[in-house]
Amino acid sequence: MKVIILAAGYGTRLLKDLHKANQEAFRTLIGIPKPLLPIGGLPLISYWIEAFRAIEDTTGIFVITNDIYYNKFKEWVENYPCVTLISDGTTNNEERLGAVSCLQLIIEQFTIGDQVIVIGGDTIFYEDFHLQDVIRKYKTLYQGDNEANLVLSYICKEEETSKYGILETNESQRITAVKEKPPATDTASRQACPCFYVFSKHTLPFVQQFLTEKKESPIDEKDAPGHFLSWLVTRICWQNFPQCNSAYSHGTASHEVTVGECFLQMQDLSTADNMVPTEERSVQI
């Protein structure tokens, strides 16, 4: 099983917020890509790498960024020889390839033909997330259907549906539809979908098919992974795994502080398979 971490975004919304912020602590974050922002004393993305290094199910970790942030990631990756780092070759937000194109770039360049875990580089879970539980769930699903795929969800508030991809499922948690940031009046579901997917190897050819069909579409339709997921659920089986209370994706300076404080408050969590140690504490991922 391979891991692909999408980290080629430019964080324009967060950058604008940081420039407007009055606190010096916010301004020191300017120029740091979102996956490298410090959370509980460690770059956010490092929690994922430490978690995957602690299990035996993955055989390769790939991180894709852009040319602007490549050197910052290159400095970071010196501590993680298990990570393969590449750039998508872009230098500004207007020419970005989009998340789905970045995914395809890695699939092609490294001839990936295994199951793949895809994670947004700015995604992290507050609590009640156990990576080994996700792996076990997928293995069970795979035994019954080797073409099945897995996506995670958590319950969001009614007023938050317009911020996230929302899953609609049947009684057996099979996904029937994905709506990208719908108003609450457009869906009865409150199952928010973070950027954490497990793809069957049989799903990978659909990435290029999606991009071919969307070749003339606006970049936003190829950028948000939720649009790809929405397209996929009409073609192949996707199973929902509702097992975490909340997830977080960096967007504003205030959110950066909120999640940082949350991690700093966590104390001595002892389950080895979902722990990521820092110098002074352990936190769940």
PDB file of all heavy atoms in Angstrom, residues 123-150:
ATOM      1  N   THR A 123      -4.503  18.268   6.349  1.00  0.00           N
ATOM      2  CA  THR A 123      -5.560  17.587   7.105  1.00  0.00           C
ATOM      3  C   THR A 123      -4.984  16.886   8.327  1.00  0.00           C
ATOM      4  O   THR A 123      -3.958  16.218   8.237  1.00  0.00           O
ATOM      5  CB  THR A 123      -6.271  16.546   6.219  1.00  0.00           C
ATOM      6  OG1 THR A 123      -6.863  17.212   5.103  1.00  0.00           O
ATOM      7  CG2 THR A 123      -7.353  15.807   7.000  1.00  0.00           C
ATOM      8  N   ILE A 124      -5.664  17.043   9.440  1.00  0.00           N
ATOM      9  CA  ILE A 124      -5.283  16.328  10.651  1.00  0.00           C
ATOM     10  C   ILE A 124      -6.546  16.131  11.480  1.00  0.00           C
ATOM     11  O   ILE A 124      -7.508  16.891  11.351  1.00  0.00           O
ATOM     12  CB  ILE A 124      -4.200  17.097  11.439  1.00  0.00           C
ATOM     13  CG1 ILE A 124      -3.467  16.153  12.397  1.00  0.00           C
ATOM     14  CG2 ILE A 124      -4.778  18.290  12.180  1.00  0.00           C
ATOM     15  CD1 ILE A 124      -2.167  16.721  12.945  1.00  0.00           C
ATOM     16  N   PHE A 125      -6.551  15.114  12.310  1.00  0.00           N
ATOM     17  CA  PHE A 125      -7.710  14.820  13.139  1.00  0.00           C
ATOM     18  C   PHE A 125      -7.433  15.222  14.582  1.00  0.00           C
ATOM     19  O   PHE A 125      -6.353  14.985  15.100  1.00  0.00           O
ATOM     20  CB  PHE A 125      -8.057  13.334  13.070  1.00  0.00           C
ATOM     21  CG  PHE A 125      -8.502  12.891  11.706  1.00  0.00           C
ATOM     22  CD1 PHE A 125      -7.581  12.420  10.781  1.00  0.00           C
ATOM     23  CD2 PHE A 125      -9.828  12.974  11.330  1.00  0.00           C
ATOM     24  CE1 PHE A 125      -7.979  12.031   9.508  1.00  0.00           C
ATOM     25  CE2 PHE A 125     -10.233  12.593  10.061  1.00  0.00           C
ATOM     26  CZ  PHE A 125      -9.310  12.119   9.148  1.00  0.00           C
ATOM     27  N   TYR A 126      -8.431  15.821  15.205  1.00  0.00           N
ATOM     28  CA  TYR A 126      -8.261  16.246  16.593  1.00  0.00           C
ATOM     29  C   TYR A 126      -8.068  15.053  17.526  1.00  0.00           C
ATOM     30  O   TYR A 126      -7.175  15.019  18.337  1.00  0.00           O
ATOM     31  CB  TYR A 126      -9.501  17.012  17.067  1.00  0.00           C
ATOM     32  CG  TYR A 126      -9.557  18.438  16.606  1.00  0.00           C
ATOM     33  CD1 TYR A 126     -10.740  18.966  16.101  1.00  0.00           C
ATOM     34  CD2 TYR A 126      -8.445  19.271  16.706  1.00  0.00           C
ATOM     35  CE1 TYR A 126     -10.811  20.287  15.687  1.00  0.00           C
ATOM     36  CE2 TYR A 126      -8.509  20.590  16.295  1.00  0.00           C
ATOM     37  CZ  TYR A 126      -9.703  21.093  15.788  1.00  0.00           C
ATOM     38  OH  TYR A 126      -9.777  22.392  15.387  1.00  0.00           O
ATOM     39  N   GLU A 127      -8.974  14.083  17.465  1.00  0.00           N
ATOM     40  CA  GLU A 127      -8.956  12.978  18.418  1.00  0.00           C
ATOM     41  C   GLU A 127      -9.784  11.815  17.871  1.00  0.00           C
ATOM     42  O   GLU A 127     -10.427  11.924  16.850  1.00  0.00           O
ATOM     43  CB  GLU A 127      -9.534  13.427  19.766  1.00  0.00           C
ATOM     44  CG  GLU A 127     -10.935  13.996  19.654  1.00  0.00           C
ATOM     45  CD  GLU A 127     -11.444  14.546  20.970  1.00  0.00           C
ATOM     46  OE1 GLU A 127     -10.849  14.237  22.020  1.00  0.00           O
ATOM     47  OE2 GLU A 127     -12.440  15.283  20.949  1.00  0.00           O
ATOM     48  N   ASP A 128      -9.752  10.704  18.594  1.00  0.00           N
ATOM     49  CA  ASP A 128     -10.547   9.526  18.256  1.00  0.00           C
ATOM     50  C   ASP A 128     -10.253   9.000  16.857  1.00  0.00           C
ATOM     51  O   ASP A 128     -11.106   8.383  16.227  1.00  0.00           O
ATOM     52  CB  ASP A 128     -12.054   9.809  18.378  1.00  0.00           C
ATOM     53  CG  ASP A 128     -12.454  10.091  19.806  1.00  0.00           C
ATOM     54  OD1 ASP A 128     -11.678   9.735  20.707  1.00  0.00           O
ATOM     55  OD2 ASP A 128     -13.533  10.662  20.025  1.00  0.00           O
ATOM     56  N   PHE A 129      -9.039   9.258  16.368  1.00  0.00           N
ATOM     57  CA  PHE A 129      -8.636   8.731  15.070  1.00  0.00           C
ATOM     58  C   PHE A 129      -7.552   7.696  15.294  1.00  0.00           C
ATOM     59  O   PHE A 129      -6.557   7.963  15.965  1.00  0.00           O
ATOM     60  CB  PHE A 129      -8.120   9.839  14.165  1.00  0.00           C
ATOM     61  CG  PHE A 129      -7.629   9.328  12.836  1.00  0.00           C
ATOM     62  CD1 PHE A 129      -8.516   9.138  11.806  1.00  0.00           C
ATOM     63  CD2 PHE A 129      -6.292   9.020  12.634  1.00  0.00           C
ATOM     64  CE1 PHE A 129      -8.079   8.660  10.568  1.00  0.00           C
ATOM     65  CE2 PHE A 129      -5.843   8.539  11.414  1.00  0.00           C
ATOM     66  CZ  PHE A 129      -6.751   8.357  10.385  1.00  0.00           C
ATOM     67  N   HIS A 130      -7.758   6.506  14.734  1.00  0.00           N
ATOM     68  CA  HIS A 130      -6.794   5.427  14.890  1.00  0.00           C
ATOM     69  C   HIS A 130      -6.438   4.901  13.494  1.00  0.00           C
ATOM     70  O   HIS A 130      -7.261   4.269  12.835  1.00  0.00           O
ATOM     71  CB  HIS A 130      -7.366   4.305  15.742  1.00  0.00           C
ATOM     72  CG  HIS A 130      -7.806   4.756  17.102  1.00  0.00           C
ATOM     73  ND1 HIS A 130      -7.004   4.652  18.226  1.00  0.00           N
ATOM     74  CD2 HIS A 130      -8.953   5.340  17.520  1.00  0.00           C
ATOM     75  CE1 HIS A 130      -7.642   5.133  19.267  1.00  0.00           C
ATOM     76  NE2 HIS A 130      -8.834   5.553  18.864  1.00  0.00           N
ATOM     77  N   LEU A 131      -5.247   5.169  13.059  1.00  0.00           N
ATOM     78  CA  LEU A 131      -4.822   4.778  11.723  1.00  0.00           C
ATOM     79  C   LEU A 131      -4.945   3.274  11.518  1.00  0.00           C
ATOM     80  O   LEU A 131      -5.391   2.814  10.449  1.00  0.00           O
ATOM     81  CB  LEU A 131      -3.386   5.233  11.475  1.00  0.00           C
ATOM     82  CG  LEU A 131      -2.804   4.921  10.098  1.00  0.00           C
ATOM     83  CD1 LEU A 131      -3.651   5.542   8.988  1.00  0.00           C
ATOM     84  CD2 LEU A 131      -1.355   5.404  10.009  1.00  0.00           C
ATOM     85  N   GLN A 132      -4.582   2.498  12.505  1.00  0.00           N
ATOM     86  CA  GLN A 132      -4.675   1.049  12.369  1.00  0.00           C
ATOM     87  C   GLN A 132      -6.123   0.595  12.174  1.00  0.00           C
ATOM     88  O   GLN A 132      -6.376  -0.386  11.470  1.00  0.00           O
ATOM     89  CB  GLN A 132      -4.069   0.349  13.599  1.00  0.00           C
ATOM     90  CG  GLN A 132      -2.540   0.381  13.645  1.00  0.00           C
ATOM     91  CD  GLN A 132      -1.929  -0.604  12.650  1.00  0.00           C
ATOM     92  OE1 GLN A 132      -2.543  -0.993  11.665  1.00  0.00           O
ATOM     93  NE2 GLN A 132      -0.693  -0.999  12.902  1.00  0.00           N
ATOM     94  N   ASP A 133      -7.076   1.286  12.792  1.00  0.00           N
ATOM     95  CA  ASP A 133      -8.487   0.947  12.591  1.00  0.00           C
ATOM     96  C   ASP A 133      -8.883   1.134  11.129  1.00  0.00           C
ATOM     97  O   ASP A 133      -9.639   0.340  10.569  1.00  0.00           O
ATOM     98  CB  ASP A 133      -9.384   1.814  13.472  1.00  0.00           C
ATOM     99  CG  ASP A 133      -9.347   1.392  14.931  1.00  0.00           C
ATOM    100  OD1 ASP A 133      -8.749   0.337  15.226  1.00  0.00           O
ATOM    101  OD2 ASP A 133      -9.913   2.119  15.766  1.00  0.00           O
ATOM    102  N   VAL A 134      -8.383   2.191  10.517  1.00  0.00           N
ATOM    103  CA  VAL A 134      -8.683   2.463   9.110  1.00  0.00           C
ATOM    104  C   VAL A 134      -8.090   1.366   8.229  1.00  0.00           C
ATOM    105  O   VAL A 134      -8.754   0.853   7.317  1.00  0.00           O
ATOM    106  CB  VAL A 134      -8.144   3.843   8.678  1.00  0.00           C
ATOM    107  CG1 VAL A 134      -8.404   4.085   7.205  1.00  0.00           C
ATOM    108  CG2 VAL A 134      -8.772   4.947   9.513  1.00  0.00           C
ATOM    109  N   ILE A 135      -6.846   1.001   8.500  1.00  0.00           N
ATOM    110  CA  ILE A 135      -6.190  -0.056   7.722  1.00  0.00           C
ATOM    111  C   ILE A 135      -6.951  -1.373   7.858  1.00  0.00           C
ATOM    112  O   ILE A 135      -7.202  -2.071   6.867  1.00  0.00           O
ATOM    113  CB  ILE A 135      -4.725  -0.244   8.174  1.00  0.00           C
ATOM    114  CG1 ILE A 135      -3.922   1.056   7.993  1.00  0.00           C
ATOM    115  CG2 ILE A 135      -4.081  -1.388   7.396  1.00  0.00           C
ATOM    116  CD1 ILE A 135      -3.783   1.523   6.572  1.00  0.00           C
ATOM    117  N   ARG A 136      -7.314  -1.716   9.091  1.00  0.00           N
ATOM    118  CA  ARG A 136      -8.065  -2.958   9.308  1.00  0.00           C
ATOM    119  C   ARG A 136      -9.418  -2.922   8.603  1.00  0.00           C
ATOM    120  O   ARG A 136      -9.854  -3.927   8.018  1.00  0.00           O
ATOM    121  CB  ARG A 136      -8.246  -3.203  10.806  1.00  0.00           C
ATOM    122  CG  ARG A 136      -7.008  -3.742  11.503  1.00  0.00           C
ATOM    123  CD  ARG A 136      -7.335  -4.229  12.896  1.00  0.00           C
ATOM    124  NE  ARG A 136      -7.604  -3.111  13.796  1.00  0.00           N
ATOM    125  CZ  ARG A 136      -6.671  -2.547  14.555  1.00  0.00           C
ATOM    126  NH1 ARG A 136      -5.430  -2.991  14.532  1.00  0.00           N
ATOM    127  NH2 ARG A 136      -6.992  -1.553  15.362  1.00  0.00           N
ATOM    128  N   LYS A 137     -10.086  -1.798   8.671  1.00  0.00           N
ATOM    129  CA  LYS A 137     -11.384  -1.666   8.010  1.00  0.00           C
ATOM    130  C   LYS A 137     -11.235  -1.881   6.511  1.00  0.00           C
ATOM    131  O   LYS A 137     -12.046  -2.588   5.879  1.00  0.00           O
ATOM    132  CB  LYS A 137     -11.968  -0.277   8.291  1.00  0.00           C
ATOM    133  CG  LYS A 137     -13.276   0.032   7.557  1.00  0.00           C
ATOM    134  CD  LYS A 137     -14.425  -0.797   8.064  1.00  0.00           C
ATOM    135  CE  LYS A 137     -15.728  -0.378   7.403  1.00  0.00           C
ATOM    136  NZ  LYS A 137     -16.882  -1.172   7.892  1.00  0.00           N
ATOM    137  N   TYR A 138     -10.209  -1.294   5.921  1.00  0.00           N
ATOM    138  CA  TYR A 138     -10.027  -1.445   4.485  1.00  0.00           C
ATOM    139  C   TYR A 138      -9.679  -2.888   4.111  1.00  0.00           C
ATOM    140  O   TYR A 138     -10.162  -3.402   3.099  1.00  0.00           O
ATOM    141  CB  TYR A 138      -8.953  -0.499   3.949  1.00  0.00           C
ATOM    142  CG  TYR A 138      -8.807  -0.653   2.452  1.00  0.00           C
ATOM    143  CD1 TYR A 138      -9.786  -0.144   1.598  1.00  0.00           C
ATOM    144  CD2 TYR A 138      -7.745  -1.357   1.903  1.00  0.00           C
ATOM    145  CE1 TYR A 138      -9.695  -0.319   0.232  1.00  0.00           C
ATOM    146  CE2 TYR A 138      -7.650  -1.534   0.536  1.00  0.00           C
ATOM    147  CZ  TYR A 138      -8.627  -1.018  -0.293  1.00  0.00           C
ATOM    148  OH  TYR A 138      -8.550  -1.213  -1.642  1.00  0.00           O
ATOM    149  N   LYS A 139      -8.843  -3.527   4.915  1.00  0.00           N
ATOM    150  CA  LYS A 139      -8.483  -4.918   4.623  1.00  0.00           C
ATOM    151  C   LYS A 139      -9.716  -5.813   4.627  1.00  0.00           C
ATOM    152  O   LYS A 139      -9.874  -6.684   3.769  1.00  0.00           O
ATOM    153  CB  LYS A 139      -7.463  -5.413   5.644  1.00  0.00           C
ATOM    154  CG  LYS A 139      -6.057  -4.862   5.446  1.00  0.00           C
ATOM    155  CD  LYS A 139      -5.104  -5.439   6.481  1.00  0.00           C
ATOM    156  CE  LYS A 139      -3.683  -4.972   6.234  1.00  0.00           C
ATOM    157  NZ  LYS A 139      -2.739  -5.514   7.253  1.00  0.00           N
ATOM    158  N   THR A 140     -10.602  -5.580   5.595  1.00  0.00           N
ATOM    159  CA  THR A 140     -11.846  -6.358   5.656  1.00  0.00           C
ATOM    160  C   THR A 140     -12.706  -6.085   4.433  1.00  0.00           C
ATOM    161  O   THR A 140     -13.259  -7.012   3.820  1.00  0.00           O
ATOM    162  CB  THR A 140     -12.638  -6.010   6.928  1.00  0.00           C
ATOM    163  OG1 THR A 140     -11.842  -6.309   8.073  1.00  0.00           O
ATOM    164  CG2 THR A 140     -13.937  -6.799   7.003  1.00  0.00           C
ATOM    165  N   LEU A 141     -12.792  -4.828   4.052  1.00  0.00           N
ATOM    166  CA  LEU A 141     -13.568  -4.437   2.880  1.00  0.00           C
ATOM    167  C   LEU A 141     -12.983  -5.051   1.615  1.00  0.00           C
ATOM    168  O   LEU A 141     -13.699  -5.575   0.757  1.00  0.00           O
ATOM    169  CB  LEU A 141     -13.572  -2.904   2.781  1.00  0.00           C
ATOM    170  CG  LEU A 141     -14.499  -2.246   1.761  1.00  0.00           C
ATOM    171  CD1 LEU A 141     -15.956  -2.491   2.133  1.00  0.00           C
ATOM    172  CD2 LEU A 141     -14.222  -0.740   1.711  1.00  0.00           C
ATOM    173  N   TYR A 142     -11.664  -5.043   1.521  1.00  0.00           N
ATOM    174  CA  TYR A 142     -10.954  -5.555   0.346  1.00  0.00           C
ATOM    175  C   TYR A 142     -11.158  -7.060   0.177  1.00  0.00           C
ATOM    176  O   TYR A 142     -11.263  -7.561  -0.948  1.00  0.00           O
ATOM    177  CB  TYR A 142      -9.471  -5.231   0.481  1.00  0.00           C
ATOM    178  CG  TYR A 142      -8.627  -5.625  -0.709  1.00  0.00           C
ATOM    179  CD1 TYR A 142      -8.558  -4.808  -1.833  1.00  0.00           C
ATOM    180  CD2 TYR A 142      -7.893  -6.811  -0.715  1.00  0.00           C
ATOM    181  CE1 TYR A 142      -7.778  -5.154  -2.929  1.00  0.00           C
ATOM    182  CE2 TYR A 142      -7.123  -7.169  -1.791  1.00  0.00           C
ATOM    183  CZ  TYR A 142      -7.064  -6.340  -2.903  1.00  0.00           C
ATOM    184  OH  TYR A 142      -6.304  -6.697  -3.982  1.00  0.00           O
ATOM    185  N   GLN A 143     -11.220  -7.768   1.291  1.00  0.00           N
ATOM    186  CA  GLN A 143     -11.428  -9.214   1.220  1.00  0.00           C
ATOM    187  C   GLN A 143     -12.776  -9.556   0.598  1.00  0.00           C
ATOM    188  O   GLN A 143     -12.928 -10.567  -0.086  1.00  0.00           O
ATOM    189  CB  GLN A 143     -11.329  -9.820   2.620  1.00  0.00           C
ATOM    190  CG  GLN A 143      -9.903  -9.846   3.161  1.00  0.00           C
ATOM    191  CD  GLN A 143      -9.832 -10.331   4.598  1.00  0.00           C
ATOM    192  OE1 GLN A 143     -10.859 -10.589   5.233  1.00  0.00           O
ATOM    193  NE2 GLN A 143      -8.620 -10.452   5.123  1.00  0.00           N
ATOM    194  N   GLY A 144     -13.764  -8.708   0.831  1.00  0.00           N
ATOM    195  CA  GLY A 144     -15.083  -8.945   0.269  1.00  0.00           C
ATOM    196  C   GLY A 144     -15.234  -8.421  -1.146  1.00  0.00           C
ATOM    197  O   GLY A 144     -16.044  -8.930  -1.931  1.00  0.00           O
ATOM    198  N   ASP A 145     -14.459  -7.381  -1.482  1.00  0.00           N
ATOM    199  CA  ASP A 145     -14.547  -6.759  -2.803  1.00  0.00           C
ATOM    200  C   ASP A 145     -13.243  -6.028  -3.064  1.00  0.00           C
ATOM    201  O   ASP A 145     -13.026  -4.941  -2.534  1.00  0.00           O
ATOM    202  CB  ASP A 145     -15.742  -5.788  -2.852  1.00  0.00           C
ATOM    203  CG  ASP A 145     -15.877  -5.095  -4.199  1.00  0.00           C
ATOM    204  OD1 ASP A 145     -15.079  -5.389  -5.112  1.00  0.00           O
ATOM    205  OD2 ASP A 145     -16.784  -4.244  -4.344  1.00  0.00           O
ATOM    206  N   ASN A 146     -12.383  -6.601  -3.894  1.00  0.00           N
ATOM    207  CA  ASN A 146     -11.064  -5.998  -4.104  1.00  0.00           C
ATOM    208  C   ASN A 146     -11.093  -4.749  -4.980  1.00  0.00           C
ATOM    209  O   ASN A 146     -10.055  -4.168  -5.268  1.00  0.00           O
ATOM    210  CB  ASN A 146     -10.070  -7.020  -4.667  1.00  0.00           C
ATOM    211  CG  ASN A 146     -10.436  -7.505  -6.056  1.00  0.00           C
ATOM    212  OD1 ASN A 146     -11.356  -7.001  -6.700  1.00  0.00           O
ATOM    213  ND2 ASN A 146      -9.692  -8.497  -6.539  1.00  0.00           N
ATOM    214  N   GLU A 147     -12.281  -4.339  -5.397  1.00  0.00           N
ATOM    215  CA  GLU A 147     -12.412  -3.095  -6.143  1.00  0.00           C
ATOM    216  C   GLU A 147     -13.033  -1.982  -5.289  1.00  0.00           C
ATOM    217  O   GLU A 147     -13.256  -0.875  -5.781  1.00  0.00           O
ATOM    218  CB  GLU A 147     -13.259  -3.318  -7.404  1.00  0.00           C
ATOM    219  CG  GLU A 147     -12.612  -4.261  -8.404  1.00  0.00           C
ATOM    220  CD  GLU A 147     -13.386  -4.352  -9.710  1.00  0.00           C
ATOM    221  OE1 GLU A 147     -14.359  -3.592  -9.876  1.00  0.00           O
ATOM    222  OE2 GLU A 147     -13.013  -5.175 -10.555  1.00  0.00           O
ATOM    223  N   ALA A 148     -13.318  -2.286  -4.039  1.00  0.00           N
ATOM    224  CA  ALA A 148     -13.961  -1.312  -3.163  1.00  0.00           C
ATOM    225  C   ALA A 148     -12.965  -0.254  -2.686  1.00  0.00           C
ATOM    226  O   ALA A 148     -11.746  -0.473  -2.650  1.00  0.00           O
ATOM    227  CB  ALA A 148     -14.595  -2.012  -1.976  1.00  0.00           C
ATOM    228  N   ASN A 149     -13.490   0.895  -2.302  1.00  0.00           N
ATOM    229  CA  ASN A 149     -12.694   2.020  -1.823  1.00  0.00           C
ATOM    230  C   ASN A 149     -13.292   2.518  -0.507  1.00  0.00           C
ATOM    231  O   ASN A 149     -14.466   2.289  -0.218  1.00  0.00           O
ATOM    232  CB  ASN A 149     -12.700   3.147  -2.847  1.00  0.00           C
ATOM    233  CG  ASN A 149     -12.267   2.680  -4.223  1.00  0.00           C
ATOM    234  OD1 ASN A 149     -11.092   2.697  -4.557  1.00  0.00           O
ATOM    235  ND2 ASN A 149     -13.226   2.247  -5.041  1.00  0.00           N
ATOM    236  N   LEU A 150     -12.473   3.224   0.259  1.00  0.00           N
ATOM    237  CA  LEU A 150     -12.905   3.662   1.580  1.00  0.00           C
ATOM    238  C   LEU A 150     -12.686   5.155   1.744  1.00  0.00           C
ATOM    239  O   LEU A 150     -11.662   5.694   1.319  1.00  0.00           O
ATOM    240  CB  LEU A 150     -12.113   2.909   2.655  1.00  0.00           C
ATOM    241  CG  LEU A 150     -12.545   3.097   4.107  1.00  0.00           C
ATOM    242  CD1 LEU A 150     -13.916   2.475   4.341  1.00  0.00           C
ATOM    243  CD2 LEU A 150     -11.518   2.461   5.045  1.00  0.00           C
TER     244      LEU A 150
END
